[in-house]
Each structure stands twice: as C-alpha cells, then as structure tokens.
Amino acid sequence: MTTMVKTKARALRAAKTEALTAPVLPVNRILKGDCIDIMRTLPDASIDMIFADPPYNLQLGGDLARPDGSHVDAVTNDWDKFTSFATYDKFTREWLGEARRLLKPDGSIWVIGSYHNIFRVGAILQDLGFWILNDIVWRKANPMPNFKGTRFTNAHETLIWASKSEKSKYTFNYRAMKTLNDEL
Ligand SMILES: C[S@@+](CC[C@H](N)C(=O)[O-])C[C@H]1O[C@@H](n2cnc3c(N)ncnc32)[C@H](O)[C@@H]1O
C-alpha cells in the first residue's frame, strides 16, 4: 500500500515537472529568427493551420533587363540562393518536417510557390506523409512580361493545400465560402 502511494506521488511529481518544462506555444506574437530553429522550440501537435511562402530558389544567373535596357528588380537576396537542388531540398525537408510535427492531427498546411520550386515542395510534402488536397492557382492579372520572347509569360503561382495525413479531418468552410462568393 505504502509503495503504491509513493509510486503515485512520484508519477504526479514527474507529470508536474514535465508540464513546467514542456514548450509552450506563444500566441499572437511574431517570432523572429531562422524558421527551423524557431519551430524546434514549439510544442508538438499544437497548430491548426500553417501558411508558408518559402524561398522560391529562382536560380537567377545574371541581371535581368527590359528591352529598353532598364534594370528589373528581381529577387536576388541571399535567402533565395541555394548551391544546388539538393541543398534546397534539404532545407525544404527540414522546415516541412518541423511544420508537420507542429500540426495537430487534423491540421493542414498551405505552401505557395512558382514553377521553380513548387514541384519539389509537392514531392517532399508527399514523402513526409502530408496528404495533398488541392493545388490552387493564383492567376496574375499583371504579370512580369517575358521580355526576351523566349518562353511563355509566367502568369501564375501555385498554392498547395495539404492535410497532415490522409486520415486528417481537416477544416473546409465550404458553405461560408460559397456565401462570401455570391454562391459562385
Ligand atoms: C518568398 S519570400 C516571402 C515574402 C512574404 N510573403 C512577404 O510578403 O514578406 C520568402 C521569405 O522567407 C524569408 N526566409 C528565407 N529563409 C528563411 C529562414 N531560414 N527562416 C526564416 N525566414 C526565412 C525571407 O526573408 C523572405 O522574406
């Protein structure tokens, strides 16, 4: 009997310590820093929905110019420079892996990208166990023209919407969206 009481007391103490040391999800705060480092500090299965606009890995070789010679202000920041597809994939696998750990079982994720990266993102999402629900096209009414006339103008970006797993009972507010869009 005494042993049982002691065991119970020990278990209670352990549970209290765990509760005090477990990571807590900060709400209504912007957390600044490397996304992977920050996500690692957050608790498992604590988030309902993630929206991500990650680096596109545009792989710009040199300066872009318009036919009149003026400079095109493209994304040339260091955060969009990856030495290879393998490096980009490693980064993508790491942040998506953390994102999946943070999602609740019925949670879902949105990732936006362009033809430069979205196919890689899609494959990695599937490899990690996410379940792709839709790809949604953001059509651009005023896209950057293809100045050289060597390819089609790229006039859209793609959003992938995926649930944490095939079994997730994700949220889809169909009725509310129909109402907000005049029943279209
Ligand atoms: C495609 S842009 C998205 C811009 C964003 N939608 C906005 O309107 O500001 C990618 C963003 O990811 C940020 N970024 C890149 N690598 C990151 C990392 N490892 N951790 C956190 N943010 C990162 C960049 O600074 C950049 O702002």
Side-chain angles (χ1 to χ4, degrees), residues 33-36 51-56 75 77 79-80 82 91 112:
D34 180 86
C35 62
I36 298 164
F51 187 100
D53 186 6
Y56 288 3
V75 176
N77 311 63
W79 55 256
D80 202 45
F82 296 85
F91 166 70
I112 185 164

Side-chain angles (χ1 to χ4, degrees), residues 2-18:
T2 324
T3 318
M4 259 180 71
V5 171
K6 274 187 184 161
T7 313
K8 210 170 167 187
R10 250 200 308 273
L12 263 174
R13 266 201 307 277
K16 269 188 194 159
T17 313
E18 200 186 313

